Amino acid sequence: MNNLNMDLVLFRGNGREPASNVKTFILPDKCFEKGVGCAWRNGNKFAIYPRSQTPSKTASTDVDNKILNIRQDVLLFTSILRKLVNESNGTYLLLQKAAETAKTTDNQVEFLKLSRQYRSIIRVCIENLQEALSRVQDGVEKNNLLSYITILYSIECIWHLCEILYIDNIPGDIVLPYLLEWVRFHFPCHEQTASHLLEACERGSEDHQDYWITVIGMVVQGRVDVARALMKLHSAAETNEFKLVDNSLRSMPVYSVYGGISTGEFTITWKHWQAECRSKLSSGVLSNEPKLELIMRLITGDFGAFSSIRGDYTSWYDLLGGWVMYTAPWARRHELASASAACAELGDALSNSRLDRAIRALLDGDLYQVIHEIQQMSDNGWFVTHLTDILYHCGKLRILDKHQTDVTNRLRDSLILDYGSLLMEHKSLWTVGLSYLASCPPEGLRRAELILERMPLKTEAKVMRVMAEAKKYGLVDVGVSACVCQCAVQGGVGRLGAGVAWAVRARSGAAAGRAAHAALRRYVRARRLPAEDLLLAAGPALLLHDTLLFLGKYCDFHRLYKDREFKKAAQLLVSLITSKIAPDYFWETLLLDTLPLLESDEPVFSSSDTYEIMLCLELKPAGLDSEKADLLRLALARNLARTVLSEGGENKQTEDGKTT
Amino acid sequence: MPIDVQGTFVSQKINKVRWIPEDYVETKCFFAGSWDDDENSIKVWGFESPHEDEEVEYPRQLSEYPVDGDVTQIKFTEKNKIAVSISNGDVKVLEVSAYDKHTPLREVYHWKKLHNYGENECSCTSLDTLEGDIVSIGEDGNIHILNGRRGDVARSITGADSCSLHSVCFIKHNEIITGNLRGHMKIWDLRSPDNKPTASFLLAGDELASTCIINHPTQPHIILAGSESGSLAVWDLRVNTFPTSLLNAHSAGVTEMQFHPENPNKLLTSSVSGELWDWNMEAMTKSSKGPDGQLAWLSLDDKNTMMVNSLMPKLHKAINTIHCDKGRILCGADNEAIYLIKNLKY
């Protein structure tokens, strides 16, 4: 069998972008020559095979008679990303607990904490990836790591914005300071140059090639103080033009919720300030200093100015903070749509990456679109699952289907179920997957049941662990079926004692019966009783099945016989014979076991016992061949002769009464 | 200083961790054996602080030794030699270089398919060591006594148990105790030639497996066994054959127990339920003196006097292993992380 390792991106049909999501993979042509067949295997695997085959006599190495196993290459199963999977699982479970308590109390702070925890997990993962990147030599590996890093960067960026807009509790909903922080955090360009220049603190810093770009970058990121400090380092900083701009920057009103003035009041002051700036600009004093003029135009929120610097930045959202700051600093969370639309149209390079679209949708408040976009990211659903879950628990998610019914619940569940099932496929991560499935009852548990039942169990340690997990989530059937399987496995390798033990654990009468039959048959064949240690100490567990009980008692008989307690042994044997629960194939053994006891020096069977044995012997003619039967009849007759004589006359009368 | 817990994710479910003993300095390095993955290995890790002055230490992988199957037990035979049992039925003795921990582990002895079902593979579930002697047990119910110095099989008890064996412990040089799937405990005298246990008794009435056995470091006649149900049984082998105490402890199976090497009154236990507990056994030993003037262990009804602390917030996944050295505890868990707990008072 060939294992083709492929990155299969399966088409998710939600109709928005059809063809672009379909990837084509070329399989060897010969596969298809004879009519191809396809079958699903467990998880995201399927097999492709030639449907009609002509058996070839010579063993060929061609592909035509091969089965191709095709599986999805799961990014999350790479060693570094497994840390992300495991660590985030802990946070996810904490979140479920927090959500449980949030039903009675407001728990927004807790959610924010957990959201930050998620982000720090992503950050750690990025750092790990970067460290790994610095170590690898192989080109392909390097590319892979780079693409992982890109994916995680986008995830971090979107998550942070999402946290600001939906999870964090922002005073007065004034989002600007948070937005600026977001821009600074994720697009820290120019920061280094700025600090470098400030540290050097030299007059005439404009000789540095990035001087103006840095100053403008600082203005756009809303770091007015830094921009002003940098401008002071210009050799012409004492000129009127510089002083004018510096003055304008300094006098810019900054809104603060706790500042004691109302939004309306602030708006008036701010508009007044901006009008002043505009008048300075139109007076033409700055016409000799194009860079200063640009700064003035930027702080007056001039679209053309922003457009002109767009080329210096990789994305439109680098400018988002600045745009909001200089056009509508009082903007609330839900008022960012127009800002994002304006920023997206800056410049002529219309970028339309997934990240762009996700951020646009986020600012527009269209969470459905956000989920749709991030679902397409090739992180195997890690991001979309966790983000949707936290938004759902924060109560910020409301998705309606085309009939206007609320399907938020179902959306969240389906994402978690997909993610959980994906992890269950992995040999080691199944416990993680299980905890996701278990958080979506009832369907999750049903799925878990189906997957757990099909999980290969190679060692008892794993069986016991599966049982412990099943018990934790109340999946009784899984525990039982694992035991029954293990019973069969142990029976198969001839470990009958272990087989019985597992059957007893499963409380399965049928399995116990099978194991007991196997033990009895083995005794008939090999004359060695398996699992004596177990049977003698088993106690009430033997009641699970008649045959098992019989086996236990028979074992007890052997013990008594070995201990030379012939009287007790004989009594037990007679009760075994008369109870008639012995299986047919065992009658011969059972009857012949009476022989040595019949021949013992002291008679151990009473006459009535002897009659019973005789009766059974005649009732089961198929049990013994004639020679052995005759031998036994002889022994029985002799025993009868001994016992009838020794038993008293009174006794004899009752015996007669019984037999007639 | 308060107890400090610090976790590191290692992308492998860890089944066993063991500090590598050092002579005069604080232990820095440890073994970690993984389980239940496509590829398993024994790794040597060392703690390093990235910045000299910082308190925080991060484990860094020093070497890796791949194994074919789950690592089920790691025990030291000598200071730098470990005996390892593997779920494919093998037992290995591996040596770590005393000077450079980066050098890969060297295989000293390898008993291939020591435990087997004939042709079929069978897990070697655990082993114990005592001064170079190794006793290994398996799902096949056999016991093998191995000589870790010469590398031969000194004695085999085949068919020692009709069920699979899951835990073993040396009581003396010539005496071992085993526990099976049903919690059936048997004591074996290695000098006696016939393959019969000298004593046998049940761990508890629930017929669940005994997952680990240890004996008390200063009173070797005291035996403790952990059960799959999470309870803890204590026997005094001098007195009788039923447990002196049966404590309902963890909510799921006990995975490993260790008496603190410096303070025998301190017991550490880990559990499938994700708990890591620190028991103060002082109350158990001190309270009463038996008629012969020797210490007697408390019986069942006084268990409320026990002092139990949780050392770590409960994990969502099973903790499989603990190992303690002075004030530092290592534990490995199914969430693919290794935790270092510092500043334990003992």
Side-chain angles (χ1 to χ4, degrees), chain A residues 94-309:
Chain A
L94 285 177
L95 180 67
Q96 305 310 308
K97 253 186 213 158
E100 207 47 52
T101 52
K103 280 178 187 159
T104 47
T105 52
D106 188 33
N107 222 355
Q108 215 51 245
V109 185
E110 191 64 29
F111 287 139
L112 177 65
K113 220 174 89 188
L114 290 167
S115 167
R116 295 223 168 111
Q117 207 166 323
Y118 274 127
R119 283 204 291 127
S120 83
I121 293 169
I122 301 170
R123 177 77 3 205
V124 169
C125 191
I126 292 176
E127 277 166 17
N128 283 334
L129 285 167
Q130 275 164 342
E131 199 201 315
L133 187 67
S134 65
R135 269 182 285 133
V136 293
Q137 305 294 324
D138 180 46
V140 181
E141 183 68 4
K142 219 171 192 130
N143 270 343
N144 280 342
L145 287 172
L146 275 173
S147 69
Y148 300 165
I149 291 175
T150 317
I151 292 170
L152 285 171
Y153 265 134
S154 330
I155 290 178
E156 194 192 15
C157 176
I158 299 175
W159 193 301
H160 192 176
L161 188 59
C162 214
E163 184 180 299
I164 292 169
L165 295 176
Y166 295 99
I167 301 165
D168 203 348
N169 202 3
I170 297 174
D173 259 5
I174 303 299
V175 81
L176 179 65
Y178 296 86
L179 210 55
L180 287 174
E181 192 189 321
W182 175 72
V183 172
R184 273 174 221 161
F185 188 76
H186 293 283
F187 313 102
C189 50
H190 311 316
E191 193 140 338
Q192 239 173 350
T193 332
S195 64
H196 193 71
L197 287 171
L198 287 175
E199 219 164 89
C201 199
E202 281 167 9
R203 265 290 165 111
S205 289
E206 73 271 19
D207 295 342
H208 194 281
Q209 52 171 353
D210 289 336
Y211 176 77
W212 280 111
I213 281 202
T214 310
V215 175
I216 290 169
M218 289 299 118
V219 171
V220 165
Q221 289 198 350
R223 309 177 79 170
V224 175
D225 295 343
V226 182
R228 283 176 58 207
L230 283 171
M231 278 164 64
K232 290 245 162 64
L233 298 178
H234 196 278
S235 50
E238 296 302 320
T239 58
N240 278 337
E241 288 87 346
F242 270 87
K243 279 190 175 158
L244 181 84
V245 174
D246 185 58
N247 203 28
S248 300
L249 284 171
R250 187 176 51 81
S251 58
M252 181 175 76
V254 177
Y255 183 72
S256 150
V257 191
Y258 307 111
I261 49 165
S262 71
T263 336
E265 217 172 312
F266 170 75
T267 316
I268 294 168
T269 352
W270 193 81
K271 283 198 170 145
H272 186 74
W273 167 79
Q274 216 169 32
E276 215 169 89
C277 292
R278 272 199 204 99
S279 71
K280 283 175 191 163
L281 202 56
S282 53
S283 69
V285 280
L286 295 172
S287 48
N288 293 332
E289 289 282 356
K291 293 293 180 190
L292 292 178
E293 195 180 2
L294 179 63
I295 292 177
M296 283 302 270
R297 281 172 64 204
L298 285 173
I299 63 174
T300 53
D302 182 64
F303 186 80
F306 274 92
S307 208
S308 69
I309 59 165

Side-chain angles (χ1 to χ4, degrees), chain A residues 7-29:
Chain A
D7 185 10
L8 268 186
V9 175
L10 295 172
F11 170 58
R12 285 176 192 253
N14 39 14
R16 294 207 180 190
E17 299 151 291
S20 67
N21 285 336
V22 182
K23 279 192 186 173
T24 313
F25 296 93
I26 312 292
L27 296 173
D29 280 341

Side-chain angles (χ1 to χ4, degrees), chain A residues 459-461 490 495, chain B residues 117 122-123 125 137-141 163-165:
Chain A
T459 65
E460 286 191 352
Q490 294 286 355
R495 303 270 307 147
Chain B
Y117 300 128
C122 153
S123 173
T125 51
I137 52 166
E139 281 178 14
D140 55 358
C163 289
S164 41
L165 290 167

Side-chain angles (χ1 to χ4, degrees), chain A residues 78-83 86-87 89-91 93-94 97 131 135 426-432 435 458-462 464-465 467-469 471-473 486 490 492-493 495-499 501-502 504-505 507 530-535 537-541, chain B residues 9-13 15 35-38 40 60 70 72 87 117 120-121 123 125 138-142 159-166 180-182 184 186 202 206-211 228-229 251-253 255 272 314 316-320 334-337:
Chain A
T78 52
S79 168
I80 295 180
L81 292 173
R82 267 168 76 169
K83 298 178 189 178
N86 276 298
E87 202 170 358
N89 177 239
T91 311
L93 292 171
L94 285 177
K97 253 186 213 158
E131 199 201 315
R135 269 182 285 133
H426 192 269
K427 184 156 185 247
S428 176
L429 294 173
W430 63 273
T431 39
V432 179
S435 60
K458 267 187 91 177
T459 65
E460 286 191 352
K462 178 134 185 190
M464 279 151 76
R465 198 49 65 81
M467 285 174 65
E469 289 287 331
K471 190 179 159 206
K472 187 161 134 196
Y473 299 116
Q486 200 56 29
Q490 294 286 355
V493 291
R495 303 270 307 147
L496 298 170
W502 281 109
V504 169
R505 246 182 206 223
R507 302 248 159 266
E532 257 178 291
D533 55 343
L534 176 143
L535 293 166
Chain B
F9 287 83
V10 295
S11 306
Q12 275 185 319
K13 287 206 266 198
N15 205 25
W35 83 295
D36 199 18
D37 203 346
D38 295 318
N40 293 294
R60 176 170 288 281
D70 303 343
T72 53
S87 72
Y117 300 128
N120 295 333
E121 213 169 75
S123 173
T125 51
E139 281 178 14
D140 55 358
N142 295 345
D161 205 304
S162 61
C163 289
S164 41
L165 290 167
H166 283 268
N180 77 1
L181 178 69
R182 299 170 51 243
H184 198 165
K186 292 179 185 174
L202 281 174
D206 53 10
E207 304 229 334
L208 288 174
S210 77
T211 48
E228 199 189 340
S229 67
S251 54
T255 47
V272 174
K314 190 173 167 177
H316 303 292
K317 301 279 176 294
I319 298 181
N320 294 321
D334 263 2
N335 64 350
E336 306 194 340

